[in-house]
Amino acid sequence: MNPGELEERRAALRDFVERRLVPLEPDLPVEGLPDEPLLKELQAEARSGGFWGLSAPVAFGGQGLGVLENAVLLEEIMRTTVSGVSGGYYGAGIFGGNPPAIIVSHGTERQHELYVRPVAEEGCGYFIAMSEPGAGSDPGGMMTTTATRVDGGWVLNGVKGMMSEYFLARFGVVFAVTDPEKRQRGGITAFIVGTDDPGVAVEGETGTMSGKVATWIRLTDCFVPDDDVLGEVGQGFALGQQWFGRIRTLYYGAGMLGPAARALEIAAAYANGRHTFGEPLAARQAIQFMLADSAMQITSLRVFTHDTARKLDAGERCRTESAMVKIMGTEMAWDILDRALQVLGGIGYTNRYPIERMMRTVRLFRITEGANEVHRAFVARELLKDDAATLPRPFGAGRGAA
């Protein structure tokens, strides 16, 4: 898609979000989708507009877009709290499903038919099971879920969580230890497991500050046939890290630009319209500085996110860049939402505006996919290496494909 076509698609998506989804925000429950007739209507509009399954392969009815194209469009989708809940980037919803890239890139033809096609065509949900109760930010070193070789497949045992979209899922990608000695260096394997498979049970659920429900599952002698091993045995952790680089760039970079940009627009409009002591809030330098700082942060993150997306499209791993995007995006979004709430004052604390809902959702992103502190430590280690103490290079001067 050339730049002109992408801008045209972005503008059309912005119109769809503002015209059709934003008005739904006050009434849609956190874990809910629009009722069935409205959902089908919105899905049909998303399909006809070219917004259905942005990452899904064209052969299965998706758009097959690259990382940069996804980043541009995802920012628009994430402007509304409706898409943040039911937009489908984890599972079913208005914009369809984007199959796990790890299955698209490393799955067999059988796995494509069983797991990629229903997500792409129907928007069915799935879950990702890397984290565990005692291994949140160190899954490679602390993972306890095991997979034992048996005739014709593997038997999985362990507990996985916290998954916020499990209630929508038909299947998931489960990471388990197949060699305790090697662990993340060749001893963790990815398996595809159905939610209705024998041996899979919900261990527990709990509410969260965003209103979503977090789910844990227990795998008890869960048999997975060899046909549902994803990629090579022992290479699951490496595959996951490649995939997470894309996820961090999109959902933690471009995805954070959506609520941040909308919050800035709301704050600027409110500052122009709200008068105190005989003049608009916008006339006060303290307010001007808050708005200016937010605009600079958004612009900086957008440039860096798009640059990283271009590198990923070119085949680079971008581990350092995606870690930096994750940190910058999640902290930038929180800062801007906090400033917007301060500009709006007490009314911003109510549900008359989407700021409070966005804050409750955005706060989680500084923890998931590795806490920001873990990513900071990784970036520091990369910079302090004797042979690689350099900042990420501009696009076109990268270190080559992975």
Side-chain angles (χ1 to χ4, degrees):
M1 190 184 306
N2 65 47
E5 292 173 330
L6 182 57
E7 172 56 25
E8 186 175 311
R9 186 86 61 95
R10 186 206 63 77
L13 180 53
R14 167 73 71 94
D15 175 72
F16 176 71
V17 167
E18 296 293 334
R19 177 173 47 85
R20 299 290 277 138
L21 303 189
V22 168
L24 300 177
E25 288 177 343
D27 301 318
L28 193 67
V30 172
E31 285 286 14
L33 298 173
D35 59 42
E36 192 68 17
L38 178 57
L39 177 60
K40 293 299 183 184
E41 182 180 327
L42 294 170
Q43 288 176 334
E45 289 188 44
R47 287 180 188 272
S48 63
F51 315 134
W52 178 270
L54 301 183
S55 296
V58 174
F60 295 145
Q63 304 302 312
L65 302 182
V67 185
L68 176 59
E69 295 164 330
N70 265 278
V72 171
L73 298 180
L74 184 61
E75 177 180 341
E76 300 298 333
I77 290 174
M78 292 299 292
R79 285 175 57 85
T80 171
T81 59
V82 173
S83 61
V85 176
S86 56
Y89 62 88
Y90 286 126
I94 294 165
F95 295 95
N98 291 310
I102 192 173
I103 300 182
V104 175
S105 60
H106 291 85
T108 63
E109 184 175 342
R110 171 186 173 277
Q111 291 169 350
H112 284 174
E113 286 297 320
L114 288 179
Y115 306 115
V116 173
R117 185 176 293 279
V119 176
E121 293 184 350
E122 306 167 31
C124 89
Y126 58 87
F127 66 92
I128 306 301
M130 174 74 83
S131 296
E132 296 183 5
S137 292
D138 182 19
M142 300 296 292
M143 188 178 294
T144 60
T145 298
T146 60
T148 305
R149 195 76 173 90
V150 296
D151 186 31
W154 300 79
V155 171
L156 275 60
N157 284 280
V159 176
K160 291 288 187 180
M162 303 167 50
M163 294 161 288
S164 62
E165 307 290 337
Y166 189 81
F167 74 103
L168 292 170
R170 290 189 198 171
F171 69 91
V173 178
V174 176
F175 295 85
V177 177
T178 47
D179 188 332
E181 297 299 321
K182 295 180 179 178
R183 302 190 71 82
Q184 64 264 45
R185 295 176 177 82
I188 292 177
T189 303
F191 301 89
I192 305 175
V193 176
T195 54
D196 59 353
D197 286 356
V200 179
V202 173
E203 175 80 355
E205 295 181 334
T206 186
T208 67
M209 66 183 285
S210 72
K212 286 177 172 286
V213 173
T215 303
W216 287 264
I217 61 169
R218 179 174 290 277
L219 305 159
T220 305
D221 295 331
C222 178
F223 176 75
V224 179
D226 286 325
D227 284 343
D228 282 333
V229 174
L230 182 55
E232 296 181 24
V233 172
Q235 298 305 306
F237 194 80
L239 292 180
Q241 291 306 304
Q242 293 176 22
W243 179 26
F244 292 147
R246 176 188 175 105
I247 289 175
R248 288 164 187 148
T249 301
L250 287 175
Y251 302 128
Y252 295 79
M256 295 295 97
L257 286 166
R262 185 168 172 216
L264 175 57
E265 292 167 13
I266 290 171
Y270 186 85
N272 274 324
R274 171 70 166 170
H275 286 68
T276 60
F277 304 103
E279 61 180 358
L281 283 178
R284 305 186 186 282
Q285 191 175 68
I287 301 297
Q288 294 171 0
F289 282 7
M290 284 195 279
L291 299 177
D293 286 345
S294 295
M296 288 186 287
Q297 283 182 289
I298 289 171
T299 301
S300 298
L301 178 67
R302 186 179 287 124
V303 170
F304 186 35
T305 298
H306 290 185
D307 182 64
T308 303
R310 290 188 184 93
K311 291 180 181 179
L312 288 168
D313 281 332
E316 295 191 43
R317 290 184 69 187
C318 297
R319 291 187 65 196
T320 303
E321 291 92 330
S322 63
M324 294 170 69
V325 166
K326 197 270 186 184
I327 297 167
M328 292 169 61
T330 55
E331 295 182 2
M332 174 276 303
W334 179 263
D335 287 347
I336 291 172
L337 286 163
D338 187 58
R339 288 192 201 108
L341 179 58
Q342 194 69 16
V343 171
L344 268 65
I347 197 66
Y349 194 69
T350 72
N351 60 10
R352 184 173 297 183
Y353 288 91
I355 305 299
E356 56 84 25
R357 170 97 169 250
M358 289 176 172
M359 291 184 80
R360 287 187 283 117
T361 299
V362 162
R363 183 60 183 85
L364 176 65
F365 282 69
R366 281 158 58 191
I367 300 170
T368 54
E369 298 302 341
N372 284 9
E373 291 74 17
V374 173
H375 289 289
R376 276 190 167 88
F378 167 74
V379 171
R381 288 197 302 271
E382 292 298 300
L383 293 173
L384 294 170
K385 286 180 178 177
D386 291 338
D387 60 346
T390 59
L391 288 170
R393 303 176 186 178
F395 179 69
R399 290 174 286 280

